[in-house]
Amino acid sequence: MRLILFGPPGAGKGTQAAQLKQRLNLHHLSTGDLFRAALKAGTPVGEKARSYMKAGKLVPDDIVWGVAREGLDAIQADNFILDGYPRTVQQALWLDAYLDAHGQEPPLVISLQVDEEAVVARLSRRRIDKETGASYHLDYNPPPPGVPARRIIQRPDDKPEVIRQRIAQYNALTRPVKVHYQERGRLVDVNGTGDIETVYNRILAVIKKKPAASTIPIL
Ligand code: AP5
C-alpha cells in the first residue's frame, strides 16, 4: 500500500500517519521529522533547512528531494505513508518519476479537510515529546501520565506568527499539488474534523474502498 497524507499544517497528518503505521504496519516517511532529526544531529542538511523551518517557509525542492529519495530508497519505494511530502508540484513530479522508475503508480492521496481556524487552534496547543517525537494536544490528546513534563515542549514553528507563515506557504505553494493528483484521479478528500479515531475510521474506509458517509466527493 502506498499513501500520501495531504493537508495544511495541523490537519492531523502526523497523528493519522502514526495510527496507520502502527495498525497497518506501514513505513512512515515525514520530511518534517527527517529535517528535525537532521537539525538535532547538526548535519549539513539540517543546517541548510534551519532558517527556512524557523521562518515557516518551505525548504527548497532540491534539498527536500535529497532526504526524500534517501528515505524512499531505504523502504524500497513500497508500503509507505508519506506525510508532509510532496509539498510543491515539482516535488510531486520528481516523486512520480521516481515511483514510475520503480514500476509504481502514484500513491493514493488522502487530503484531510480542516478549516484554518481549527488548524490554528490545533497547532497553538500542540506539544511534542522531545525524546520520542510523539505529538500531543493539550486539550484533545494530552500526554499520558508518566511522561515527564520536562520532555513536553512546544515546536518552535508553532508560534502564532510562524503558524501564519506556514499556512500562507501552504496556500501559495502546496495547494496546487492537490490539483496535480486530482487530475490523475488519485486524490480523495476526507473530513479531518472530529476526534482522532473518527478521522482514522474515515481514512480506513477510503483505503478499503468503502466510501464513508463523511467522505467528501471530488467535484
Ligand atoms: P512538518 O513537520 O511536515 O509540518 P506541517 O506540514 O506544517 O505539519 P504539522 O506537523 O504542523 O501538522 P500535522 O498535519 O502533522 O498535524 P498533527 O498530526 O501534528 O514540516 C515542518 C517544516 O519542515 C515546514 O514548515 C518546512 O519548513 C519543512 N518541510 C517539511 N517537509 C517539507 C517539504 N516536503 N518541502 C519543503 N519543506 C518541508 O496535529 C496537529 C495537532 O492537532 C496535534 O496537537 C494533534 O494532537 C492535534 N490533532 C490531530 N488530529 C486531531 C483531531 N482529529 N482532533 C483534535 N486534535 C487533533
Side-chain angles (χ1 to χ4, degrees), residues 123-192:
L123 292 176
S124 50
R125 300 278 287 165
R126 172 166 60 183
R127 294 296 182 272
I128 301 294
D129 183 330
K130 67 178 178 181
E131 282 185 19
T132 65
S135 170
Y136 301 108
H137 189 280
L138 292 177
D139 309 310
Y140 309 128
N141 180 27
V147 178
R150 64 178 165 73
R151 277 182 20 198
I152 303 301
I153 57 160
Q154 186 170 32
R155 253 170 61 172
D157 59 349
D158 280 346
K159 295 192 183 91
E161 64 280 11
V162 188
I163 292 174
R164 276 194 296 278
Q165 176 64 25
R166 286 162 61 205
I167 292 172
Q169 291 268 286
Y170 171 81
N171 286 328
L173 300 169
T174 306
R175 267 189 196 282
V177 175
K178 208 175 153 172
V179 178
H180 173 86
Y181 286 113
Q182 256 166 349
E183 286 172 354
R184 283 156 185 76
R186 303 299 299 163
L187 187 132
V188 182
D189 280 328
V190 171
N191 181 351

Side-chain angles (χ1 to χ4, degrees), residues 7-16 30-33 35-36 49 52-54 56-61 64 83-88 91 122-123 125-128 135-138 140-141 155 157-158 166 192-196 199:
K13 303 180 295 293
T15 301
Q16 294 300 330
S30 153
T31 42
D33 287 350
F35 284 131
R36 278 183 289 278
Y52 297 98
M53 293 177 78
K54 197 173 166 203
K57 293 190 171 166
L58 292 189
V59 175
D61 288 337
V64 175
D83 155 14
Y85 171 82
R87 241 154 138 135
T88 64
Q91 291 179 23
R122 286 184 183 184
L123 292 176
R125 300 278 287 165
R126 172 166 60 183
R127 294 296 182 272
I128 301 294
S135 170
Y136 301 108
H137 189 280
L138 292 177
Y140 309 128
N141 180 27
R155 253 170 61 172
D157 59 349
D158 280 346
R166 286 162 61 205
T193 59
D195 64 38
I196 292 169
V199 177

